[in-house]
Amino acid sequence: GAGVSQSPSNKVTEKGKDVELRCDPISGHTALYWYRQSLGQGLEFLIYFQGNSAPDKSGLPSDRFSAERTGGSVSTLTIQRTQQEDSAVYLCASSLAGRPPQETQYFGPGTRLLVL
Amino acid sequence: AQKVTQAQTEISVVEKEDVTLDCVYETRDTTYYLFWYKQPPSGELVFLIRRNSFDEQNEISGRYSWNFQKSTSSFNFTITASQVVDSAVYFCALSESSGGYNKLIFGAGTRLAVHP
């Protein structure tokens, strides 16, 4: 079946602009996660969704970052007033029910964001 | 605090050599899971294995094998008779139950280059 998909695959933007990154999880997966992969910081957790709710937003680096999920499916990560330090690969993952700690998370291909 | 350490930043081997990727973790939980993911140049994180804290049996899957030793908090990954297609960044990750959901803590990754 179809895996996790993300769009766009690459995004180049100018400092100060807003960007939206999209994630389509595996069908039937209720848990969705956003991670960021940047040089020097490795893979960092950003936010977790269970259905349309986000019980944990603790990894969002600033209030310029927000995310939503609709219909228990698609999620959008929005970065407002982008800064150069936001340049990274943003990875989305989904798992069946978010049941800790044993569920396997399946990752999408990521969105490579470059802020000029 | 939860932490995953992959001390080897880069490893370079010649095809058909065996190679072991080290992973050391820290956790206060008694119930936790460990994962290995592969990130080829395409960027997508590919799930390789999941192991729970109560199962210390080693596992073998084709050319891949994993050695889990709770006494040393290690979960090492060995590739036997390496091939060029094994070239990738490999991540070890830890998942705990205390957070109430399945947040992954990643190591910094080990870049493996297999040369013909």
Side-chain angles (χ1 to χ4, degrees), chain B residues 9-10 12 15 22 28 31 34 54 59 70 78 92:
Chain B
T9 306
E10 292 189 35
S12 181
E15 217 171 9
D22 297 333
R28 283 176 289 189
T31 302
L34 295 162
F54 298 107
E59 181 153 343
K70 227 169 170 177
T78 297
C92 180

Side-chain angles (χ1 to χ4, degrees), chain B residues 64-86:
Chain B
Y64 295 171
S65 62
W66 289 269
N67 184 335
F68 176 33
Q69 292 198 335
K70 227 169 170 177
S71 59
T72 56
S73 297
S74 66
F75 186 44
N76 296 338
F77 172 31
T78 297
I79 302 174
T80 302
S82 58
Q83 299 176 2
V84 173
V85 293
D86 296 327

Side-chain angles (χ1 to χ4, degrees), chain B:
Chain B
Q2 319 96 328
K3 187 178 177 182
V4 176
T5 301
Q6 294 179 257
Q8 304 150 307
T9 306
E10 292 189 35
I11 300 176
S12 181
V13 299
V14 176
E15 217 171 9
K16 297 183 184 173
E17 281 186 39
D18 298 347
V19 58
T20 295
L21 310 180
D22 297 333
C23 173
V24 174
Y25 62 92
E26 294 176 30
T27 178
R28 283 176 289 189
D29 274 19
T30 55
T31 302
Y32 54 89
Y33 276 70
L34 295 162
F35 300 79
W36 276 94
Y37 285 87
K38 173 182 180 180
Q39 188 175 43
S42 61
E44 188 166 344
L45 278 168
V46 178
F47 165 72
L48 295 178
I49 190 170
R50 179 185 75 203
R51 173 50 50 90
N52 77 60
S53 52
F54 298 107
D55 180 4
E56 290 193 66
Q57 274 193 321
N58 291 332
E59 181 153 343
I60 298 175
S61 176
R63 296 184 296 106
Y64 295 171
S65 62
W66 289 269
N67 184 335
F68 176 33
Q69 292 198 335
K70 227 169 170 177
S71 59
T72 56
S73 297
S74 66
F75 186 44
N76 296 338
F77 172 31
T78 297
I79 302 174
T80 302
S82 58
Q83 299 176 2
V84 173
V85 293
D86 296 327
S87 297
V89 181
Y90 291 86
F91 290 94
C92 180
L94 167 70
S95 171
E96 300 181 326
S97 61
S98 58
Y101 64 94
N102 196 17
K103 180 169 76 175
L104 290 174
I105 308 297
F106 285 90
T110 297
R111 182 177 299 277
L112 174 65
V114 182
H115 302 285

